[in-house]
Amino acid sequence: MIDPVIFSFKLFTWQVTLTWYGLIVMSGVLVAAWFAEREVRRRGENGEVLIDAMVWAVVAGIIGARLWYVMNALIGGNRSYIEDPMSIIRPPIAGLHFFGGLLFGAIALIIYLRNNGYDVWLFMDAVAPVALLGQAVGRIGNYINQELYGPPTQLPWGISIPADHRLAQYADLAKYPVESTRFHPTFAYEMVLNVLAFLFIMWYARRDEEEPKPGTLFSMWLIAAGFIRTFIEFFRPDQPRLGDTFITTSMLVAFLMGVTGVILFLARHGKLQIAALTDWEEEYFIKKVEKKSAPRARKVESAAVVGTDSEPEIDEPVVKRKSPARAKATTEKKPTTKKAPAKRKKAE
């Protein structure tokens, strides 16, 4: 078993600890951001915008992930956060929930894009699918922490869980001996399914020369992320349930995500008519801010009048532009044939 702590030291009164889980989660964020930046550039937009936006999205996502985890724990009957509210923010902060990070991060990203005049759908189509890949990388940290495993199983790929990492219902070592009891590697199921879903969405985005309509890939991500997590929740004995049912809070949220994705996908392709989506854009809007230099003669003349030789900057407005593949398909020139000039008759 790998030690979850890489190193730890005391700085004044603070205990600084670097864990494998934190390092792997941040690696997942960086991998996802790198892929997303490439997707933004492929659509013709400035990829650096995403890097600036991710600063806000990551900070908001961490806050949201922690708050969602705390709320989930309270629903499950854990009252420690009510009795000691400072434990919510007191280091080491153990416990983050993917849905909270997703929700708060998405809100911060959308606010940033809208305030700066960028096409939200372009960035959401680029970011959402790669979130599956980032989450898959992060699941490796769950294995190191010996968490997010399922119920006991006799399957050959079951994993052993030490006694000090067992859930309360599996703590009876007489019933569940450490030597012979194996558990479902739930984190691995989700990791594999997320990678497969990511690859499928990327294939779908490139299967034709024409780029999918704005919002298509985001809706596909909702479908994949929602229904994959719904399936995984059947193997999560650690999640709080709604009353005496088998439904967990995360299962309900994930199922609603998947259903929302199906509705958006059908509406995007004209299979459903939804009034709020009647004006859904057919192509991405690309914001370009370019600097144009004035001719040399004009620049000298301007400097003489104004008293400066600085070049004027011209901000181009937001323009509607086709994606590279679509533009290529529509700008191809058809071959033309020229008729030979009619022969002039000789004078008789």
Side-chain angles (χ1 to χ4, degrees), residues 82-338:
I82 295 178
E83 297 169 358
D84 183 15
M86 290 302 297
S87 63
I88 298 174
I89 59 175
R90 183 187 304 120
I93 298 177
L96 301 173
H97 201 289
F98 173 69
F99 285 153
L102 190 68
L103 177 62
F104 279 60
I107 291 174
L109 178 62
I110 291 172
I111 291 175
Y112 180 90
L113 294 174
R114 287 192 171 178
N115 287 344
N116 290 277
Y118 291 96
D119 187 352
V120 173
W121 283 120
L122 186 152
F123 284 84
M124 295 302 284
D125 281 344
V127 173
V130 301
L132 291 166
L133 184 62
Q135 187 184 8
V137 173
R139 287 305 180 209
I140 300 174
N142 298 132
Y143 172 71
I144 296 177
N145 282 355
Q146 296 286 280
E147 59 188 5
L148 299 191
Y149 54 87
T153 180
Q154 297 298 322
L155 293 172
W157 54 79
I159 60 173
S160 177
I161 300 296
D164 57 341
H165 286 79
R166 295 280 186 88
L167 297 172
Q169 57 266 47
Y170 306 126
D172 187 352
L173 299 184
K175 187 177 180 180
Y176 302 105
V178 175
E179 297 79 11
S180 58
T181 305
R182 297 293 182 269
F183 297 86
H184 279 284
T186 309
F187 56 86
Y189 297 161
E190 188 171 5
M191 179 175 66
V192 172
L193 290 174
N194 281 355
V195 171
L196 293 177
F198 166 74
L199 294 176
F200 176 79
I201 294 176
M202 291 295 100
W203 167 81
Y204 183 88
R206 292 166 170 78
R207 79 192 196 289
D208 296 325
E209 288 187 2
E210 189 169 323
E211 189 81 21
K213 295 180 180 180
T216 299
L217 301 186
F218 176 75
S219 64
M220 292 180 69
W221 168 78
L222 282 174
I223 295 172
F227 290 137
I228 287 175
R229 187 57 182 266
T230 301
F231 169 73
I232 292 298
E233 285 299 307
F234 285 100
F235 298 89
R236 291 287 301 272
D238 59 323
Q239 295 293 289
R241 304 185 181 275
L242 300 177
D244 296 329
T245 68
F246 68 91
I247 302 174
T248 67
T249 55
S250 296
M251 182 187 295
L252 178 61
V253 174
F255 182 76
L256 293 177
M257 280 177 59
V259 171
T260 302
V262 171
I263 293 173
L264 288 177
F265 187 85
L266 294 176
R268 173 71 279 186
H269 292 83
K271 305 301 182 182
L272 283 179
Q273 300 297 326
I274 300 177
L277 300 177
T278 53
D279 295 329
W280 200 336
E281 64 190 63
E282 292 295 320
E283 296 169 355
Y284 296 124
F285 288 88
I286 311 298
K287 178 182 178 180
K288 288 293 183 182
V289 179
E290 299 178 354
K291 295 181 179 180
K292 293 185 177 180
S293 299
R296 186 67 182 175
R298 290 182 56 192
K299 188 171 78 171
V300 173
E301 179 183 353
S302 176
V305 175
V306 182
T308 177
D309 58 353
S310 60
E311 299 181 7
E313 294 184 1
I314 301 176
D315 289 347
E316 296 291 338
V318 177
V319 296
K320 185 176 181 180
R321 196 170 77 182
K322 299 178 184 297
S323 61
R326 185 176 298 174
K328 179 181 178 182
T330 57
T331 56
E332 290 179 353
K333 296 182 179 180
K334 296 181 179 180
T336 57
T337 57
K338 294 183 179 180

